Each structure stands twice: as structure tokens, then as C-alpha cells.
Amino acid sequence: ELVQVGPVREQIEWMLKILDDPASTGVVVVTTPEEMPVTETVELVDRIRVRTNVDVAAVVVNRMLSPWFEATDESTFDALCEADTAAVLASAVGEKSGAKVRTVLEAAALAQRRADVATEHLERLRAGLPAAVPMLTVPELFTKASGRRVVTLMADRLAAYGDALVGERR
């Protein structure tokens, strides 16, 4: 709106044509499975679709935690957490106080709760997005690696999704 004539205007028109062409340009929104990022992602996708002609190519949910237990395993895990059973476990591994066994069980329970909450946010995100927008999940990488190694892991995961999406569109 600020530039109406001249070479800058020509460049703006060229860029707008590229942005408006879903065959060559698409927005990929990256989020995490947490309350605020999910809310902001739903709002951003809605604004992009309402205010622009830019295609929302996909939403990538990064750092998704996998559930530790299936629903059928929860009762077994709950039984392991009971004081008597935890004491038997501690005795079996030669730990007298049982503190280390309790710590491991508490950590597993916390990890499962975090995965459950992440899954709830993922479901809310899916419900808030248009059905046509693909949603890809990338798992939490429990690694100290950084740089090229992490980029390679992420690229491999996204490439697998890309292959699947191309297959769906055929």
C-alpha cells in the first residue's frame, strides 16, 4: 500500500504472486503440544486463512512425547507403585531403603502424565485446525546432540511425512 509505482512496486507484486500461489508457496507452522502454543497456532492458522491467500501447507508439532504405557498397562503400573510392591522391587534389586525404586516409579508416572497432557493438547489442536491442513508430529529427541545430527534426525522424520503426504495426494 505504501509503494504504488516504480521498481519496488514491481518487486512487491512479484513477491505477492509467489506468496499467493499454493503450488510454490505454503506456510508451515511449527508448535509444541502445550496449552499456549496450541492456542496461538490455531489463531495464527485462522488469521492466515482469513487475511491472506497463502496456503497453510502443514502444522508441525515438535517435541511430542510418546506415551509410556498403553491403557491396558496402566493398572499394572499402578500396582507396581503401591508401597508393598515397590518394597518387593527394591528388595529384588538389593536396595534397602527403596528410595531409588520410588524415584524411578515417580519419574515414569510423571513422564506418562506429561505425555497424556501433550496428547490432550494435540487433540485440541487437531480439532481447531481445518481438516485439510496436515498435522505432523515430531517426537521429543532425548539427545545431547546438536547441530547437524539433530537436523538430520528431524529432516528424516519430516521426509517420511512428506513421502506419505505425496502418496495420499496421488
Side-chain angles (χ1 to χ4, degrees):
E1 293 173 7
L2 294 174
V3 181
Q4 295 299 317
V5 295
V8 173
R9 181 63 190 182
E10 291 171 12
Q11 289 178 350
I12 290 171
E13 288 176 5
W14 172 76
M15 286 187 291
L16 288 174
K17 285 180 187 175
I18 291 172
L19 291 174
D20 284 347
D21 180 8
S24 60
T25 304
V27 171
V28 176
V29 180
V30 180
T31 189
T32 55
E34 301 166 20
E35 183 176 3
M36 185 62 78
V38 164
T39 299
E40 291 172 346
T41 298
V42 169
E43 290 172 359
L44 175 61
V45 168
D46 185 53
R47 270 184 294 185
I48 290 169
R49 292 171 59 86
V50 168
R51 295 183 183 176
T52 74
N53 293 326
V54 177
D55 178 47
V56 178
V59 172
V60 176
V61 182
N62 196 11
R63 302 184 70 193
M64 187 65 195
L65 295 168
S66 298
W68 279 51
F69 311 110
E70 300 295 325
T72 55
D73 300 329
E74 288 180 19
S75 62
T76 302
F77 179 72
D78 291 343
L80 287 173
C81 292
E82 291 176 8
D84 293 343
T85 310
V88 171
L89 287 171
S91 175
V93 297
E95 187 201 352
K96 293 180 183 176
S97 72
K100 291 179 182 177
V101 168
R102 283 193 304 278
T103 299
V104 169
L105 293 173
E106 289 168 5
L110 175 63
Q112 181 64 41
R113 284 193 302 273
R114 287 188 63 216
D116 290 344
V117 169
T119 299
E120 290 171 11
H121 291 306
L122 189 70
E123 291 168 358
R124 189 169 63 86
L125 177 61
R126 177 73 280 172
L129 294 176
V133 175
M135 188 171 74
L136 320 173
T137 59
V138 180
E140 174 74 61
L141 297 177
F142 294 99
T143 178
K144 291 183 180 181
S146 61
R148 187 175 187 165
R149 172 76 176 130
V150 171
V151 170
T152 300
L153 289 169
M154 298 298 277
D156 289 347
R157 180 65 181 231
L158 292 173
Y161 276 120
D163 293 344
L165 286 175
V166 169
E168 286 178 14
R169 292 182 179 172
R170 286 184 188 164

